[in-house]
Amino acid sequence: MKKIIKAAIFASFLLLTASAKAEQTALSDKKVAYGMGVETDSENRPLGAVQAQNQYGDMGALFIGEAENKRLWLTFDEGYENGCTARILDTLADKNVKAVFFITYDYAEKNPELVRRMIDEGHTVGNHTYSHPSLAECTEEEIYEELSRLHAYVSDNFGYEMYVMRPPKGEFSERVLAAAKDMGYTTVLWSFAYEDWLTNKQPDEAYAFEKITSKTHNGAVYLLHAVSETNTNILGDVIDFWKNSGYLITPM
């Protein structure tokens, strides 16, 4: 999946050829506010994620992996730091698991030591845009600007070239997916998420463990928020459950 992108070529993305522009005029600007829903198939795979993968997979998007493979991806959104990320990284190191961390410019600028640690310890750092807008509400130029500015910042300050991106709020359009793909990015959404981001309303650990593990399925893309104390506390047990169930937690 990895695609190396050099920051120096980003300007060329804004200068699309006439034929490329003509092709993009056929793309829809309709906002998709993605959610995988609660209905599942006989293999516990969310129908919303499967349908989205079938519809948008050819446009460089990943909602859920192949049904035949007993593997999953563990991803974290990092909008701001709540004192949990270092502990999450400790657990991942202890369990020998690689994860994906989607960061914004604000996060990278304020927490360079954590971003450096993510990279040094072999995790994937993903583009969650420069200023966290709804990309579906941005112009084409603004989409490129949001992705390219953060990409250049991470490249210049950490020597790391990002290749996966997650649209804020899970909001995208066909034009957003096409722009990201033009830039060499895979757009990563999810096939599991739950209300874990409210720091003053954290779910009970037993409830969260059951919620997360009961939704395990082949090809799962898990979205957790790294501001969650509950997620941080139960992460090791969740990983043990997945491994004991025969799942491979793979890097992107």
Side-chain angles (χ1 to χ4, degrees):
M1 182 181 291
K2 183 173 182 180
K3 301 175 183 178
I4 301 300
I5 312 169
K6 297 301 181 183
I9 67 173
F10 274 113
S12 66
F13 294 130
L14 299 177
L15 302 174
L16 298 175
T17 64
S19 60
K21 285 186 176 182
E23 181 179 345
Q24 291 213 8
T25 59
L27 297 171
S28 173
D29 286 319
K30 182 180 179 181
K31 180 196 291 187
V32 178
Y34 173 69
M36 73 283 177
V38 297
E39 294 185 59
T40 59
D41 63 15
S42 60
E43 297 176 322
N44 207 33
R45 288 161 55 88
L47 293 179
V50 173
Q51 291 166 357
Q53 188 64 45
N54 290 337
Q55 183 173 357
Y56 300 110
D58 289 344
M59 300 186 73
L62 173 66
F63 299 82
I64 191 169
E66 296 175 354
E68 296 76 18
N69 292 333
K70 200 167 184 179
R71 70 172 183 178
L72 56 84
W73 293 279
L74 177 60
T75 76
F76 295 90
D77 279 5
E78 295 273 17
Y80 65 96
E81 181 53 42
N82 193 39
C84 297
T85 304
R87 290 168 54 204
I88 291 172
L89 289 167
D90 289 343
T91 299
L92 295 173
D94 180 61
K95 300 298 182 181
N96 193 27
V97 165
K98 306 303 180 189
V100 187
F101 293 89
F102 289 96
I103 66 171
T104 62
Y105 164 76
D106 189 64
Y107 187 90
E109 193 271 333
K110 291 180 178 177
N111 303 281
E113 70 289 345
L114 290 173
V115 176
R116 171 50 59 195
R117 186 176 170 191
M118 294 170 191
I119 295 168
D120 290 347
E121 295 183 7
H123 302 292
T124 301
V125 175
N127 194 327
H128 202 35
T129 72
Y130 189 87
S131 63
H132 204 262
S134 171
L135 290 178
E137 298 175 3
C138 292
T139 66
E140 189 169 296
E141 290 75 16
E142 289 169 341
I143 295 168
Y144 283 106
E145 179 77 2
E146 281 289 331
L147 295 176
S148 64
R149 286 186 71 187
L150 179 59
H151 188 105
Y153 180 85
V154 171
S155 177
D156 291 345
N157 288 273
F158 300 97
Y160 183 85
E161 306 292 335
M162 296 186 291
Y163 53 92
V164 293
M165 85 88 166
R166 173 168 285 157
K169 309 174 190 176
E171 295 179 350
F172 65 92
S173 66
E174 289 183 356
R175 191 174 301 281
V176 170
L177 298 181
K181 187 175 181 181
D182 281 346
M183 298 173 74
Y185 276 100
T186 295
T187 299
V188 179
L189 281 298
W190 59 83
S191 62
F192 173 88
Y194 80 119
E195 195 174 81
D196 61 344
W197 61 87
L198 299 175
T199 57
N200 60 351
K201 190 183 176 183
Q202 282 292 287
D204 174 78
E205 290 181 13
Y207 165 84
F209 178 85
E210 174 63 20
K211 179 79 171 178
I212 294 171
T213 57
S214 67
K215 300 296 184 180
T216 303
H217 52 274
N218 289 7
V221 182
Y222 269 83
L223 163 57
L224 302 178
H225 287 82
V227 297
S228 170
E229 288 281 351
T230 297
N231 289 347
T232 304
N233 292 339
I234 68 174
L235 182 58
D237 291 337
V238 169
I239 290 173
D240 287 342
F241 174 89
W242 286 333
K243 287 186 173 183
N244 291 337
S245 301
Y247 280 86
L248 181 65
I249 307 166
T250 58
M252 285 191 172

